[in-house]
Amino acid sequence: MKPDARRDLARYAMQEYGLSERQACGMLKLSRTVYRYQAKKSKDEEIAKALLELAGRKPRWGFGKMRDYLRNEAHGWNHKRIRRVYCDLRLNLKIKPQKRLPKRIPLPLIQPEVANHCWSIDFMSDSLASGRAFRTLNILDDFNREALWIEVDTSLPAERVIRVLEMIISWRGCPKQIRMDNGPEFISHRLEEWAQEHNVQLAHTQPGKPAQNAYIERFNRTYREDILDAYLFNSLNEVREISEQWLEEYNVIRPHESLKGLSPYQYASIHA
């Protein structure tokens, strides 16, 4: 029987049967010290108030920073007590679990000998003059570094990526392989199903290894310097129009050192 219950029984025996404290405690085998113990008033309210006030000012602080801050403020609260109140208030920061990715086997970055053997795709981000963010989906043929398409919009989910790929395939043909990173749009089940239906191998780079997709990364740099950093856009249509004009110039007349000074179209006509 718990001490609190035995204290209640001892109190009842003393009131109803006139037993002394010694007799009641002896009958219940309860220490008279335990019977007389009075719990100290908890100061958890003070700790809770301090933690809530601190959480309101510093919402990204976890328990460790809050504990150290209160200690530096000369509060004498035990760290275990602060932890208990902290958890009771449910101030624990929610940590988003990392999505487990399958082990990526790096494929050698070799320039294909024919077109449509391997495409490289990647996303870029920027914003309009109003501050509204937008994204671009860049698609490149590794054979002659031809920029096949630049899709521009505020949101480009996996379904949109598939529609763009289907559109390019309708006039160019289907690639054997597509090289990409591990972005959420590129690791979606829907894109995997589409690739299986079209017998396309999805070659994912290893996380944190952008050099494994160097062709599209180099294109992104050029596109960033020539277009995204060079203009102040007022609308998405303006981004699309300027990008489309630049894309034509990039493929037709811009020389590439990696193509021995030829443009993508010139290189393709010679090595077709």
Side-chain angles (χ1 to χ4, degrees), residues 89 102 108 145 168 178 185 208 212 224:
L89 294 173
R145 313 299 195 277
I168 300 174
I178 299 179
E185 299 85 0
Q212 294 177 5
R224 171 75 64 185

Side-chain angles (χ1 to χ4, degrees), residues 197-235:
E197 293 171 0
H198 291 75
N199 295 320
V200 176
Q201 178 189 4
L202 299 182
H204 292 278
T205 62
Q206 292 177 304
K209 300 291 181 92
Q212 294 177 5
N213 204 6
Y215 294 150
I216 193 71
E217 292 291 343
R218 183 61 184 87
F219 172 81
N220 290 348
R221 174 184 165 186
T222 303
Y223 179 56
R224 171 75 64 185
E225 292 174 348
D226 288 359
I227 300 299
L228 298 182
D229 289 349
Y231 293 89
L232 193 62
F233 304 106
N234 294 312
S235 66

Side-chain angles (χ1 to χ4, degrees), residues 22-170:
R22 180 179 58 80
Q23 291 173 327
C25 290
M27 179 181 65
L28 295 169
K29 296 182 180 180
L30 177 67
S31 169
R32 295 170 70 183
T33 303
V34 174
Y35 173 78
R36 294 174 182 174
Y37 174 78
Q38 296 292 328
K40 295 179 180 179
K41 185 177 180 181
S42 172
K43 295 183 180 179
D44 287 353
E45 293 81 5
E46 187 178 355
I47 300 175
K49 181 179 178 181
L51 287 173
L52 289 172
E53 188 273 335
L54 191 56
R57 290 191 291 112
K58 303 292 183 182
R60 294 304 305 166
W61 278 17
F63 169 74
K65 279 189 171 54
M66 290 188 178
R67 176 203 59 208
D68 293 342
Y69 176 85
L70 295 177
R71 180 190 60 195
N72 296 337
E73 291 293 308
H75 292 292
W77 300 320
N78 182 279
H79 70 278
K80 290 184 285 187
R81 189 176 176 190
I82 298 175
R83 162 69 78 175
R84 175 173 52 78
V85 178
Y86 178 86
C87 293
D88 289 343
L89 294 173
R90 298 189 177 185
L91 295 177
N92 311 60
L93 290 177
K94 294 182 179 180
I95 301 176
K96 185 178 180 180
Q98 291 186 344
K99 187 168 185 178
R100 290 177 177 260
L101 297 174
K103 185 177 180 180
R104 303 302 190 192
I105 300 175
L107 299 176
L109 191 64
I110 301 175
Q111 182 178 358
E113 297 181 356
V114 294
N116 282 356
H117 179 80
C118 182
W119 294 356
S120 296
I121 62 177
D122 197 15
F123 286 106
M124 296 184 69
S125 300
D126 210 303
S127 59
L128 303 176
S130 62
R132 187 183 184 188
F134 67 87
R135 305 181 77 194
T136 72
L137 172 64
N138 304 339
I139 304 177
L140 199 74
D141 191 320
D142 292 354
F143 163 64
N144 62 333
R145 313 299 195 277
E146 179 183 352
L148 302 178
W149 196 260
I150 297 178
E151 186 75 2
V152 179
D153 214 328
T154 54
S155 177
L156 296 169
E159 288 291 345
R160 182 72 170 275
V161 173
I162 292 173
R163 289 204 302 271
V164 173
L165 292 174
E166 291 277 10
M167 181 267 296
I168 300 174
I169 289 172
S170 67

